Amino acid sequence: MTTELLDALTSPETAIARAAELLRAGEVVGFPTETVYGLGACACNELAVRKIYAAKGRPQDNPLIVHIASVKEVSRVARDIPDEFYRLAEAFFPGALTVILHRNLEVPAVVSAGLDTIAVRMPAHEIALEIIAAVGEPLVAPSANRSGKPSPTTAQHVIDDLNGRIAAVVDGGNCTIGIESTIVNILGDMPIILRPGLVTKEDIENVIGTSVSVHSGNEIIRPIAPGMKYRHYAPRATVKLMASWAEIVDTIQRNPRQKRMILSPEKAPYSSIHQVYPLNSTTIYSEFRRADAENFQEILILCTDTVLNNVALMNRITKAASGT
Ligand code: TXA
Ligand code: MG
């Protein structure tokens, strides 16, 4: 299969119309969202949904997120919707928040890997919203990477991973957020964040008015989000968390021969360190891809207070460091 590159930066209408045509025909198409690129298929077309698992090499028991273009579309994919959903939607939709609801049983079970719940989000990206609206029904869209690779933040990343395996990818430029949406489950006694993202625990607590817990990743034997049991992406290089520039200098001096990448949110205070790569949520996944492509052996990440206080970014960094 030849993967079509649809340029939505120069001709958005043509790109959106072609993407919608392919999706309606049961094909799988990559498209931009504000978080990361998604790999879309019609949620109600079971065969199309299966193509997503095949293209990504995704385990069959890892459920997908359904993307909607308006809040009222939620009733097409979910049932018995709690009031909290509408309060969260009012505050954060469209945006980087995914909410776990009861699945409308008309939606094929394969979407949720057999669970009776369903993950729903409305992306804050004009192109994504227009594609969903043009198709006229909700789209499932996991991140558009091969399983085991970081989420893509450019159309080129999608091509690098999936060229020849999907019908098309819509190029809408760089994703502005760069890491995946916050996932919150509001079906239990206390809402629980399953994956941290730009929308924080405090943001959600302020809207819902009750405390929200955060899944810590360790104490759960049976995973609540099935994806949690899979080994997380980690670059081939050894990832080390650094507390200061002094520690970085010390690490370099102990073993000067390593091919090393330094990731930092700020410039190095020493002229001896000439190359520092940027560290923030927008760049982290593309820098990990660069580290693999350029065969770095070690990645030193400077964890300043700004980085440490960014729960979502630290979550991706610690996962990359431990591979869990
Ligand atoms: O920002 C995002 O959320 C991106 C863009 C494309 O929208 N999508 C994304 O999808 O990150 P994916 O498939 O890479 O991650 C979805 C996560 C998985 O960890 C999966 O296990 C979890 O959501 N998930 C999906 N449905 C679920 C459900 N019913 N219950 C619990 N977790 C669920
Ligand atoms: Mg993913």
Side-chain angles (χ1 to χ4, degrees), residues 31-39 56 58 61-67 96-98 100-101 111-113 115-121 123 141-145 151 179-183 185 194-195 224-228 230 316:
F31 64 87
T33 82
E34 80 282 28
T35 57
V36 301
Y37 271 72
L39 189 57
K56 281 182 60 89
R58 185 180 179 99
D61 60 352
N62 193 359
L64 308 173
I65 297 175
V66 173
H67 293 61
L97 179 71
T98 296
I100 308 291
L101 298 170
V111 165
S112 295
L115 297 176
D116 56 9
T117 55
I118 193 158
V120 182
R121 137 169 155 84
S143 50
N145 50 286
S151 294
I179 55 176
E180 308 85 350
S181 61
T182 305
I183 303 181
N185 186 333
L194 303 179
R195 179 175 73 184
I224 332 179
M228 286 171 174
Y230 295 107
R316 282 24 174 222

Side-chain angles (χ1 to χ4, degrees), residues 208-231:
I208 296 189
T210 60
S211 17
V212 170
S213 64
V214 179
H215 169 69
S216 68
N218 298 326
E219 81 264 12
I220 284 184
I221 298 162
R222 198 174 138 273
I224 332 179
M228 286 171 174
K229 74 174 189 234
Y230 295 107
R231 193 171 181 280

